[in-house]
Amino acid sequence: MIYFDNSATTAIYPLALDTYVKTSQRIMGNPSSLHDLGTQANRLLQQARKQIAELLDVQANEIFFTSGGTEGDNWILKGTAIAKREYGNHIIISSVEHPAVRRTAEQLEELGFEVSIAPVDRSGFVEVDKLAALIRPETILVSVMGVNNEMGAIQPIAAISEVLEKYPTIHFHVDAVQAIGKVDQTKWLTPRVDFAAFSAHKFHGPRGVGFIYWKAGKKLAPLLNGGGQESGQRATTENLPAIVAMSRALRIHLEKKAERPNHTAIIRQYLKEALLSYDKVTVFSGDENFAPHILTFGIKEIRGEVLVHALEEKQIFVSTTSACSSRKKVDSSTLHAMHVPHDVATTAVRVSLDEANTMAEAEQFMVIFNHLYEKFSKIN
């Protein structure tokens, strides 16, 4: 099996899974309980929080645990809308945001908020000057992803941060789900960024757990109300085994990235050059300012899902441009925003790499791809 779908989800690290199992077995207390078992559980919870904060070089009181990236995005957008409604009702997002941001913004529109869409250029990068032109006195939030999950474009967060320096009261949120451990942190967590959302299963942690970065001093209303967990900001008993396993997975992931910083970039470049040698192949992902783990391409007149299933028959697993939309057969919103013609956009397939992938796998992928390409050519 060759697994090239790491942007959809990653396999949990064995050490993180071991941490999950041991924590489940040994730490039975509720972190909110006053007795010793609760104190033991809470101590472990705070240790995990501190470790994640140290890995991101932020404060422990700026880390809040969630069920994943989707909840994090929902919380930040809706929490900002509720907390800052008296100051304004205008939100700006980019045209290439993940559905967790895009659909949340649409729901806020239904509730009376105004949403503006910042366009991207033909390479998929947010046009900073056009975003700046959308800012109004009533703007309360700007939300732009760090790395696009479909094309791999590293968005100009630093340049947007410079624009927003003039507007300190506007919340700046970055969906960093595809960025952490893949792209240098300085590119997506600038001092101007107020909020960021993360998901553990994108960096070999368990599913159903994540966290947000919430800059101290910024206002955000709770999304979940109840028992007062997470300093009263996110009610529900914390998923302690998953949180502890997530903190360990993040540490391992960042260590592996530091050991082999260019590993996925080398494999990606090999695949890109090999694919470009085929006349009917279009490579949508560029080189400069693109993440080293995502490569999106298509074969002319071959729908993406056809190629996905043909590769699957050979035990090679890739996806169409987004795992969240591929099963629904929804066309790539990013390619649409890039003004790629519909018939070309429907050919898109995404390869997403990880440090566990090898050059031998990439070479085998190209052997199989060549066979399928010839087969499709004969059919056409």
Side-chain angles (χ1 to χ4, degrees), residues 35-89:
H35 51 62
D36 286 346
L37 293 180
T39 300
Q40 184 183 29
N42 186 62
R43 185 182 301 116
L44 199 56
L45 179 71
Q46 302 312 327
Q47 287 175 354
R49 193 188 314 277
K50 181 180 178 182
Q51 177 168 289
I52 290 173
E54 290 175 347
L55 290 169
L56 293 183
D57 196 24
V58 299
Q59 301 301 311
N61 62 359
E62 296 176 318
I63 299 297
F64 292 81
F65 298 119
T66 68
S67 63
T70 295
E71 184 193 332
D73 287 332
N74 271 259
W75 183 5
I76 293 164
L77 266 70
K78 293 175 182 176
T80 293
I82 294 169
K84 295 178 71 70
R85 181 94 191 229
E86 63 180 298
Y87 304 107
N89 69 335

Side-chain angles (χ1 to χ4, degrees), residues 193-261:
V193 173
D194 300 310
F195 300 92
F198 305 86
S199 184
H201 76 104
K202 304 295 187 179
F203 51 81
H204 301 276
R207 303 179 193 192
V209 66
F211 64 95
I212 67 168
Y213 162 69
W214 173 353
K215 183 186 290 182
K218 296 297 178 178
K219 296 180 65 175
L220 194 66
L223 183 63
L224 300 177
N225 292 290
Q229 291 86 354
E230 292 299 287
S231 301
Q233 302 303 319
R234 195 237 181 202
T236 195
T237 299
E238 297 91 346
N239 186 353
L240 184 63
I243 289 169
V244 176
M246 172 174 64
S247 69
R248 188 168 194 185
L250 182 58
R251 178 170 57 81
I252 295 170
H253 187 59
L254 295 179
E255 287 173 351
K256 287 180 178 290
K257 174 66 176 176
E259 291 169 4
R260 298 194 294 173

Side-chain angles (χ1 to χ4, degrees), residues 100-152:
V101 168
R102 189 171 67 250
R103 301 301 183 204
T104 302
E106 290 172 359
Q107 185 180 27
L108 288 172
E109 274 190 305
E110 295 173 358
L111 296 174
F113 289 84
E114 294 185 39
V115 178
S116 295
I117 308 297
V120 297
D121 61 22
R122 292 188 178 275
S123 295
F125 297 105
V126 172
E127 297 184 85
V128 179
D129 57 339
K130 293 182 179 179
L131 183 151
L134 295 172
I135 296 174
R136 312 175 192 167
E138 62 269 25
T139 302
I140 56 175
L141 173 69
V142 172
S143 181
V144 177
M145 63 189 353
V147 172
N148 179 258
N149 57 301
E150 296 185 18
M151 297 299 116

Side-chain angles (χ1 to χ4, degrees), residues 354-368:
D354 183 69
E355 76 271 0
N357 293 127
T358 66
M359 186 61 75
E361 289 179 328
E363 292 169 350
Q364 179 64 15
F365 173 88
M366 290 310 307
V367 170
I368 300 299

Side-chain angles (χ1 to χ4, degrees), residues 275 278 281 297 299 307 365-373:
L275 289 166
Y278 293 86
V281 169
F297 68 95
I299 303 175
L307 181 54
F365 173 88
M366 290 310 307
V367 170
I368 300 299
F369 177 85
N370 183 70
H371 170 73
L372 294 174
Y373 183 88

